[in-house]
Amino acid sequence: MSVRVGLTGGLASGKSTVAQMFAARGAQMMYADQVAHDLMQPGTSVYEQVVRTFGSSIIRSDRTIDRPKLAQIAFGEHRIEELNRIVHPAVSARMEQWLAEMSLSHPRGVLVFEAALILEAGIGKHFDKIVVVSSRPEQKLERFAGRLLSDDQLDERRRAEALREAERRIGVQLSETEKIAAADYVIDNSGTVEQTERQVGRIFKELKKLAQG
């Protein structure tokens, strides 16, 4: 019987890197960010609700939603809960559908859903196992700041703004201690890539054994 795995972790903990490692070993993957992106395309009900709630200023000239601008409003104006109430139920429904379909097509597969807010959104119950990716707080802040800034923007003012934005986003998530307490497996991503690879390899082997009964 397939094993359903929720892969999560704090902001910039390295979930995407770990997800790639699971995929390389043969796990069937679904990514919450990609699902949310698809659900926000023009013509969808989620798109209409988001635009109605946050205004036309978030719409680009091609009618798509400017997701960085939407995030800036949602986090900057403390309206992230409004956004989550629109997006989370739709993502959850798509996830449940995917899990059901993949359980039939891959009856002995390892099915991994990667998302930042699995525990916060209350969807942990859909999984057989929860994997949490952890890393040191200063690493997460540095990684996130690096994503926001190009090399020519690394002046102190922009860096400080990026770090404040990271702290705002981390503030709406459960603490790493709370995430770890809910985990079946914890991957420490604060070391080298090789160290992370070894942890993923060990955990995937255990998950594969569970899936094969």
Side-chain angles (χ1 to χ4, degrees), residues 24-114:
R25 287 165 170 77
Q28 306 301 314
M29 303 296 304
M30 186 182 209
Y31 304 90
D33 276 351
Q34 184 58 53
V35 175
H37 180 269
D38 294 343
L39 289 169
M40 285 192 195
Q41 293 306 301
T44 66
S45 62
V46 170
Y47 174 93
E48 298 298 336
Q49 291 178 69
V50 169
V51 172
R52 191 162 57 246
T53 302
F54 290 91
S56 59
S57 67
I58 64 169
I59 301 176
R60 295 190 177 106
S61 58
D62 62 359
R63 304 304 297 167
T64 60
I65 289 175
D66 185 334
R67 294 184 71 193
K69 187 168 186 178
L70 173 61
Q72 184 180 30
I73 294 171
F75 286 100
E77 298 180 7
H78 305 289
R79 299 178 65 190
I80 189 62
E81 286 303 319
E82 286 181 71
L83 181 59
N84 288 344
R85 280 195 295 271
I86 297 169
V87 178
H88 281 178
V91 171
S92 181
R94 187 70 60 85
M95 175 203 72
E96 289 182 57
Q97 179 185 5
W98 180 79
L99 287 172
E101 291 171 353
M102 296 302 290
S103 294
L104 292 175
S105 61
H106 295 78
R108 294 193 174 185
V110 177
L111 315 180
V112 180
F113 179 72
E114 184 261 302

Side-chain angles (χ1 to χ4, degrees), residues 7-19 21 114-117 131-145 147 166 170 173-176 179-180 186-192 196 199:
L7 174 62
T8 191
L11 180 76
S13 59
K15 295 183 299 302
S16 297
T17 298
V18 169
M21 293 176 181
E114 184 261 302
L117 301 178
V131 178
V132 169
V133 182
S134 74
S135 61
R136 295 192 301 273
E138 64 272 17
Q139 286 179 309
K140 290 188 281 190
L141 290 172
E142 289 294 333
R143 286 173 188 155
F144 183 77
R147 287 180 198 168
I170 288 171
Q173 298 182 351
L174 291 175
S175 70
E176 188 149 288
K179 287 181 184 288
I180 288 172
V186 177
I187 294 174
D188 180 358
N189 191 39
S190 58
T192 65
T196 301
Q199 294 173 76

